[in-house]
Amino acid sequence: MERKLLEFDVGESVELFLLIKSSVKGTASNGKPFLSLVLQDKSGELEAKLWDVSESDEASYAAEHIVHIAGDIQNYRGRKQLKIRQIRKATAADNVSAGEFMETAPVNKDEMAEEITQYIFEMKNANLQRITRSLLKKYQDKFYDYPAAVRHHHEFVSGLSYHVVSMLRLAKSISDLYPSVNRDLLYAGVILHDLGKVIELSGPVSTTYTLEGNLIGHISIVVEEVSKMAEELNIEGEEVVILKHILLAHHGKGEWGSPKPPLVREAEILHQIDLMDASMNMMEKALRHTKPGEFSERIFGLDNRSFYRPSFDV
Amino acid sequence: MERKLLEFDVGESVELFLLIKSSVKGTASNGKPFLSLVLQDKSGELEAKLWDVSESDEASYAAEHIVHIAGDIQNYRGRKQLKIRQIRKATAADNVSAGEFMETAPVNKDEMAEEITQYIFEMKNANLQRITRSLLKKYQDKFYDYPAAVRHHHEFVSGLSYHVVSMLRLAKSISDLYPSVNRDLLYAGVILHDLGKVIELSGPVSTTYTLEGNLIGHISIVVEEVSKMAEELNIEGEEVVILKHILLAHHGKGEWGSPKPPLVREAEILHQIDLMDASMNMMEKALRHTKPGEFSERIFGLDNRSFYRPSFDV
Amino acid sequence: MERKLLEFDVGESVELFLLIKSSVKGTASNGKPFLSLVLQDKSGELEAKLWDVSESDEASYAAEHIVHIAGDIQNYRGRKQLKIRQIRKATAADNVSAGEFMETAPVNKDEMAEEITQYIFEMKNANLQRITRSLLKKYQDKFYDYPAAVRHHHEFVSGLSYHVVSMLRLAKSISDLYPSVNRDLLYAGVILHDLGKVIELSGPVSTTYTLEGNLIGHISIVVEEVSKMAEELNIEGEEVVILKHILLAHHGKGEWGSPKPPLVREAEILHQIDLMDASMNMMEKALRHTKPGEFSERIFGLDNRSFYRPSFDV
Amino acid sequence: MERKLLEFDVGESVELFLLIKSSVKGTASNGKPFLSLVLQDKSGELEAKLWDVSESDEASYAAEHIVHIAGDIQNYRGRKQLKIRQIRKATAADNVSAGEFMETAPVNKDEMAEEITQYIFEMKNANLQRITRSLLKKYQDKFYDYPAAVRHHHEFVSGLSYHVVSMLRLAKSISDLYPSVNRDLLYAGVILHDLGKVIELSGPVSTTYTLEGNLIGHISIVVEEVSKMAEELNIEGEEVVILKHILLAHHGKGEWGSPKPPLVREAEILHQIDLMDASMNMMEKALRHTKPGEFSERIFGLDNRSFYRPSFDV
Amino acid sequence: MERKLLEFDVGESVELFLLIKSSVKGTASNGKPFLSLVLQDKSGELEAKLWDVSESDEASYAAEHIVHIAGDIQNYRGRKQLKIRQIRKATAADNVSAGEFMETAPVNKDEMAEEITQYIFEMKNANLQRITRSLLKKYQDKFYDYPAAVRHHHEFVSGLSYHVVSMLRLAKSISDLYPSVNRDLLYAGVILHDLGKVIELSGPVSTTYTLEGNLIGHISIVVEEVSKMAEELNIEGEEVVILKHILLAHHGKGEWGSPKPPLVREAEILHQIDLMDASMNMMEKALRHTKPGEFSERIFGLDNRSFYRPSFDV
Amino acid sequence: MERKLLEFDVGESVELFLLIKSSVKGTASNGKPFLSLVLQDKSGELEAKLWDVSESDEASYAAEHIVHIAGDIQNYRGRKQLKIRQIRKATAADNVSAGEFMETAPVNKDEMAEEITQYIFEMKNANLQRITRSLLKKYQDKFYDYPAAVRHHHEFVSGLSYHVVSMLRLAKSISDLYPSVNRDLLYAGVILHDLGKVIELSGPVSTTYTLEGNLIGHISIVVEEVSKMAEELNIEGEEVVILKHILLAHHGKGEWGSPKPPLVREAEILHQIDLMDASMNMMEKALRHTKPGEFSERIFGLDNRSFYRPSFDV
């Protein structure tokens, strides 16, 4: 199997097709324009500079284009960087597509859909079950496509649904260990908690925030969606209030974006397992590229800490 | 005109009809039951203890009942207290009703309604105008009846609408002074910002939080109401997003309950004039009972500060 | 089966043997001495006042004595209180012992010991396994007897070992779900994380802090114990440093008592599941005494929040 | 009318006289010296680099000199930058003066002076009026010339007096709406609150902090000025204490530089309208250069938020 | 030598003259008035209740009166309390005066004055020396009489000058150890830093804040005094600015009341030795009444910590 | 005497031997590699760039090598920088050694050792004395060689022991002034407080953190050392607990790395004199390079403040 971008060490030469994730023009100190590229394949991304670019270069090497590059992996201030020797735009003849270069959840969509369906099937409270099933159905295409965030954690294709699947498994384990937990509330909360992201974010590629994302946010968005769906399904009563609360409160604190702190047991649990799965994902990603006996890059979402990988962890 | 409860000084005797605002049973150190009463008329409220009560006393002197009391105003740890000498339940023959004992906004409902209607009339953006008018109409009875809060500021009958009227006047002055302000957004924001309180709070008398108030909160409630009303009126587009944002952001910060900080100019202004009118009301109330040359009671909503009333302020 | 203290409602009369948890003398407003008692059985504890006590009463009704009481459950400021009608010290003839009145972990010591032994048995890293096993053995009597805290969570007989067992189950589930977790480090961390409490706390009854508990704290205590045991067992190398770090960091932040934040993946996980099991225990305890449709007492360890028990949670 | 610097879009060529606001020498990566210039006219300022400079260039292109430039507006990391093609120092023959290139308050000094005089004239408390009038007279030249700050808000010629005029208008509106406000205290507070800036800052051009500004600060400076003036005018009594307090407290909190928080009603109001006028000015400035449907640059003084300009705000 | 109030243990009877520090009237649960007294002699103070008081009792047992009391030392919630058996007002015949009952600095005024004079004499900078000497002279009577604070530290007669003397000794030691310290600035700063307290506080007995104390504060007060004195003495130049800064900054942070943080070396040192002497005094006072092997009462000014007195500290 | 690196002003040429403190490779905007060097002698350090380097240059100009340089002192963004004209590696013929280029404590090791020995000799508590003497002996070589920190304060050869000596002198002065201080505890605390640094840090040259330094930290390290030494010496009892506490608490707060706040008087004093000596050192270093009448560089360890050196401080 072919080696990927991040599998090369400093000093090695590479010859690869890569996807341009972003391309920003600058002016070098000699007054000439250059491009700062972020290039990626499924293994991750690296920065590269392209010097002395013409206007047609700018167009050719814009974001979302695929290029073929010959270059060298170098060390720049302790981080790997790609030094470009040769670059050309990929053509039809190269037979490559963007999807091949984007990280994707390690489980495929159908399996995830089947697993989530099973969790919904196990729910006993018909009101919670119907709202959950209907909302998921309404947004299912985006739900299985979108990342869970712009960066930091689960920031890959299908990251949103993969995050939900992992959390459902945690939710199940916890419900088994603490039997007084209301499994229906917890499952509904897990499945819907980040569903507002399908409106907050622009999509799976070059993800940015939409206007509603910036000004309203996925928490308020999903709460409103629950209300509308409940009305549509003629469901009234306390389940709707509690479900809305659980979603509203899942960031745990006002400072973190929740207008109410968790005031129902399952809201507190949802908040905790959301944190747990997100930190697992961030640590996994950082340590995957760290050698035993070394410290990882700093993880922004974990107070900017740098984690040590024990030398006996081989 | 008859003197009211708070107009009597320490050492004076009173003979008055009063409304019981709350009544809590306790056990005295001699093992006998007593009632801690909060008694009020339009001038404000005082605490009083009723010793050695029977079970029928408990029933007679419960919250929301009117009583006739003879007693003395005493000083208890620097605060006035009412010492009860005689107490009896009011009867039909006394010809008194609860409304006479409750503080009310200094402007009557019809005048307020007329003034608010005029502001809505002046709005030029038809979408914002229709949403505002329709939502106000939907909840108008409660809107003109409810207080703006359980305590701290505008905690009286019609306090909600009075707070809105005061803020509208501020909004108008500010729009006159800074012409680039979008008057429509600001007026709509002011009128609707606390409308969720009609669902968050239980009503104008013995006000408490409802379940939705506790778990969802008036900010999320009103945002959802705007969405539903926009849908009902077939209004789409950026005005709805911006209006929702302005309402969402009016507490200014996550710590204070807003899931998004103000990111639109009129959202920031709404937040500031909300603070200004609330603090004006709190200072007014505290200084009204403070003699020139003295410090007021501490004001919880203003960092627990005690304000000085200048001796030349007579 | 006989009804326990907390199973009686306000207004009911009780006739029970109870253990005096604490007894503090005060002076009533008539100048006479009284005792503030905290009385408990396995269901929990209530306060009671004993008026006009003699010096011999003080001696008879001191902490850790058992008494027989006839009285009434009353409401005092929204909390239940016990009003004593008759009280007498239990005698040999009553055939009651303190153990019958103290809350205990819901699993017995032998089962817990067996389960923990099994987890140690599953560890593959011989160094971690030997340190864990030896330290547990050194303190096993206290470990299976002590509470996990003076108050807030797992504050009952065998609370410490029960907390560890619950966390081990969580640790196992999480290791199953995230296979890159180092199971040995995590199990060792869970088993030892609060072992310093056997030196920090005075014991299972009327628990207080020892001088070492107050001045050094269980975190530094256990780290030192690991060092000494490793030396005794002639174990050197990175496992010891990492294990010490994991224990040092398990409170997560400097403000919470950890001199280093978690810098190893399993340290972060240990911190999170410690929080999770503690909050589960606190919510469980608070909601157990809350009726559906009502809010619980405030939970100090969860930011003083009051949790709502849904009315459909029956 | 000629187009100004900030009215050109990226890609356009400019040929303009500009004032050098600051000029800092650096060493390029080829080892040769260059100048980082900030160039301005009334529309605002842009950065530009001048490469390979000689020692005489350094002297010619120093701060406060006027230059004629031919160049291009470029995009550098999302901000406009000026690329210099030709540059020469302006000569007497060019007939240009620094004043033409500096932003100035939108109202002229005489109008402002007349308006402020009118407010002083309306004051009824003779003591407050005399102190205010005399202090303003003492520093009037600088007061009508200085900016209100080094950066962030009202950082232009006459910015200080313009800030005061805007706040006086707000103060008047608020006093009309809340009649119990002491208008004299509020007017005096507004007029004097930033007067210490004439000692704290170096002047209207290339403004920096003086030693007294750095070590004492404008708040303590103005309080001392009030004391001295009161002594000079033989005014004693509580007005002086209260006026000093209002000035002392106008930053609202210790963290923001006020040694006492507002403890008098008018002190609180002064603090709020100071904030309001400053934020209005900052939002105005940021949104003026933002197209409808886009987000502004981040505003440092408003928690670094970026404001959205609605697309219907045209 | 006669035993003092705090030298009696719980259970002992006392018969003593005592000074009433404060006397507050309350209403007992039987409806009758009582007085809460704080009684003191040089050893410290205790609380006592006087039940069933008449109006003439209220007058007789008001603050600042001396009384003769027979009573018992009791334990009330872990603190000593005095139970009054007999009380009578002292008469001329008793030949006692208030001064005998108030704690005083352990060094007498003349010695302190001599020592401070010597420090001033050692100053070499004539400007700093003259300002310091003149200001001290202006307020010398109060300076040697006042406490350094209302409570927390040095809250006794002559506490202000005693605090200054202790700090001067520290300042001298530190200047000896770190020779680059500017001794003149440091001595001047120490001597003047709390001089504003003679205006901030009401006096040595029953100390409270004056209006200027509440609204302006001793920091701004002393800075103004320095300015006026410099003017009077025709002293100009940087020494005055720096001295004012050092005084302004001596609380170290905005949150603690300093409008500027220390920006001159001696300002930082002054802040640190002020803290050091204050904490020494607070710990001394708390530990004086603590037995070896026990924890002291909580010290409010030291983050409410309770300090342990080692059992070998005898 | 020859001039040192930091004694040259901007614009002057230098010809000097210098030690390379660090050397980091980068890629210039023309794609060629360069080295960012930090060069030092006893006067301090400066940055320099070496352009267009070959692979052999990288090896020659690595950290810890000595070089001979001809170049110019330039101004880069307000800081001095060294522009290299000629560079060559020092050879044996040059007869220079690393020690000549490193800052060292101003007192030599023998004098420090003698002084510390004297303090230990004065201790009266035999247990504290033996532990202190034995631990110091165990690590004496490193103790007199190591810096006290990687940067910020006392970051030079023998900085650790010099910091201890300065603090001992402070401790002695304070014990003289406040006689109730336990001199033995304080001396022991001062001598041992940073001893863990000999394990936390890598050594006196190019100092970095060791794995134990990163994961355990010098506070926990020294506490463990005390325990082990006490065991070795068969010393038991409260002195050991108290000494461990004092060391544990010397950072003062959880946020600053102490798992317990100071709860013993001498712990609080130790914390304060540690801060005092560290800030003295940081201010001294910053002001040494500041001209009278100017502000120093920002001092990171003192809240990033920039200190003013009075113009009369000459």
Side-chain angles (χ1 to χ4, degrees), chain C residues 111-227:
Chain C
E111 288 174 88
M112 291 195 288
E114 199 171 334
E115 189 166 345
I116 292 173
T117 302
Q118 181 58 31
Y119 279 101
I120 296 177
F121 180 78
E122 287 174 23
M123 290 169 67
K124 288 176 185 137
N125 182 308
N127 288 340
L128 294 170
Q129 192 187 40
R130 288 175 62 214
I131 294 172
T132 307
R133 177 181 287 138
S134 309
L135 268 175
L136 194 60
K137 197 168 165 210
K138 178 172 175 189
Y139 291 110
Q140 65 188 347
D141 289 352
K142 291 183 166 178
F143 177 77
Y144 288 107
D145 239 31
Y146 270 53
V150 172
R151 66 186 69 82
H152 302 324
H153 76 96
H154 297 94
E155 70 287 32
F156 46 73
V157 177
S158 300
L160 174 54
S161 47
Y162 184 59
H163 179 40
V164 164
V165 166
S166 303
M167 282 174 66
L168 279 170
R169 293 170 186 170
L170 269 172
K172 186 177 166 51
S173 297
I174 286 163
S175 305
D176 290 347
L177 294 174
Y178 302 90
S180 57
V181 170
N182 185 316
R183 215 173 270 255
D184 292 352
L185 275 175
L186 189 54
Y187 289 0
V190 167
I191 294 170
L192 301 179
H193 83 292
D194 272 354
L195 189 66
K197 301 234 171 172
V198 303
I199 292 172
E200 183 180 62
L201 302 178
S202 62
V205 189
S206 301
T207 311
T208 56
Y209 286 92
T210 61
L211 184 63
E212 277 197 79
N214 267 313
L215 297 190
I216 312 292
H218 72 277
I219 282 194
S220 299
I221 290 169
V222 77
V223 167
E224 201 180 303
E225 290 288 331
V226 167
S227 283

Side-chain angles (χ1 to χ4, degrees), chain A residues 4 11 13-14 28-29 33 45 50 62 69 104 127 152 177 203 219 221 227 240 246 268 278 286 313:
Chain A
K4 297 286 180 203
S13 292
V14 303
S29 54
E45 62 192 49
L50 196 59
I69 280 179
T104 312
N127 287 341
H152 302 324
L177 295 175
I219 282 195
I221 290 169
S227 283
V240 183
I246 284 177
E268 177 64 28
D313 183 19

Side-chain angles (χ1 to χ4, degrees), chain D residues 116 143 159-169 190-191 193:
Chain D
I116 293 175
F143 177 76
L160 175 54
S161 46
Y162 185 60
H163 180 40
V164 164
V165 166
S166 302
M167 282 174 65
L168 279 170
R169 294 171 185 169
V190 166
I191 294 169
H193 83 291

Side-chain angles (χ1 to χ4, degrees), chain E residues 151-163:
Chain E
R151 66 186 68 81
H152 301 326
H153 77 96
H154 297 93
E155 69 287 33
F156 46 73
V157 177
S158 300
L160 174 54
S161 46
Y162 185 60
H163 180 40

Side-chain angles (χ1 to χ4, degrees), chain D residues 221-284:
Chain D
I221 289 168
V222 77
V223 167
E224 201 180 302
E225 290 288 331
V226 167
S227 283
K228 286 197 231 159
M229 186 54 78
E231 229 173 62
E232 207 177 305
L233 300 172
N234 285 313
I235 296 174
E236 280 187 346
E238 210 173 287
E239 284 103 331
V240 183
V241 177
I242 303 283
L243 177 57
K244 283 161 61 180
H245 169 72
I246 284 177
L247 300 172
L248 213 56
H250 87 266
H251 280 193
K253 281 195 182 179
E255 297 88 300
W256 301 334
S258 275
K260 289 282 176 184
L263 297 174
V264 165
R265 185 197 331 223
E266 288 71 22
E268 177 64 27
I269 301 172
L270 175 61
H271 169 57
Q272 290 195 20
I273 64 180
D274 188 17
L275 271 189
M276 185 174 281
D277 189 55
S279 34
M280 284 296 187
N281 182 262
M282 291 185 283
M283 292 190 289
E284 179 71 37

Side-chain angles (χ1 to χ4, degrees), chain C residues 211-217 220 223-224 227-228 231 238 241-242 244-245 248 254-255 257 259-260 263-264, chain F residues 211-217 220 223-224 227-228 231 238 241-242 244-245 248 254-255 257 259-260 263-264:
Chain C
L211 184 63
E212 277 197 79
N214 267 313
L215 297 190
I216 312 292
S220 299
V223 167
E224 201 180 303
S227 283
K228 286 198 229 157
E231 229 172 62
E238 210 173 287
V241 177
I242 304 283
K244 282 162 61 181
H245 169 72
L248 213 56
E255 298 87 300
K260 288 282 175 184
L263 297 174
V264 164
Chain F
L211 185 63
E212 277 197 79
N214 267 313
L215 297 190
I216 312 293
S220 299
V223 166
E224 201 180 303
S227 283
K228 285 197 231 158
E231 229 172 62
E238 211 174 286
V241 177
I242 303 283
K244 283 162 62 180
H245 168 72
L248 213 56
E255 297 88 301
K260 289 282 176 185
L263 297 174
V264 165

Side-chain angles (χ1 to χ4, degrees), chain A residues 200 211-217 220 223-224 227-228 231 238 241-242 244-245 248 254-255 257 259-260 263-264, chain B residues 211-217 220 223-224 227-228 231 238 241-242 244-245 248 254-255 257 259-260 263-264:
Chain A
E200 182 180 62
L211 185 64
E212 278 197 77
N214 268 313
L215 298 190
I216 312 293
S220 298
V223 167
E224 200 180 303
S227 283
K228 286 197 228 158
E231 227 172 64
E238 210 173 285
V241 176
I242 303 283
K244 282 162 62 180
H245 169 73
L248 214 55
E255 297 88 299
K260 289 282 177 185
L263 297 174
V264 165
Chain B
L211 185 63
E212 278 197 79
N214 267 314
L215 297 191
I216 312 292
S220 298
V223 166
E224 201 179 304
S227 283
K228 286 199 229 158
E231 227 172 64
E238 211 174 285
V241 177
I242 304 283
K244 282 162 62 179
H245 169 73
L248 213 56
E255 298 87 299
K260 289 281 177 185
L263 298 173
V264 165

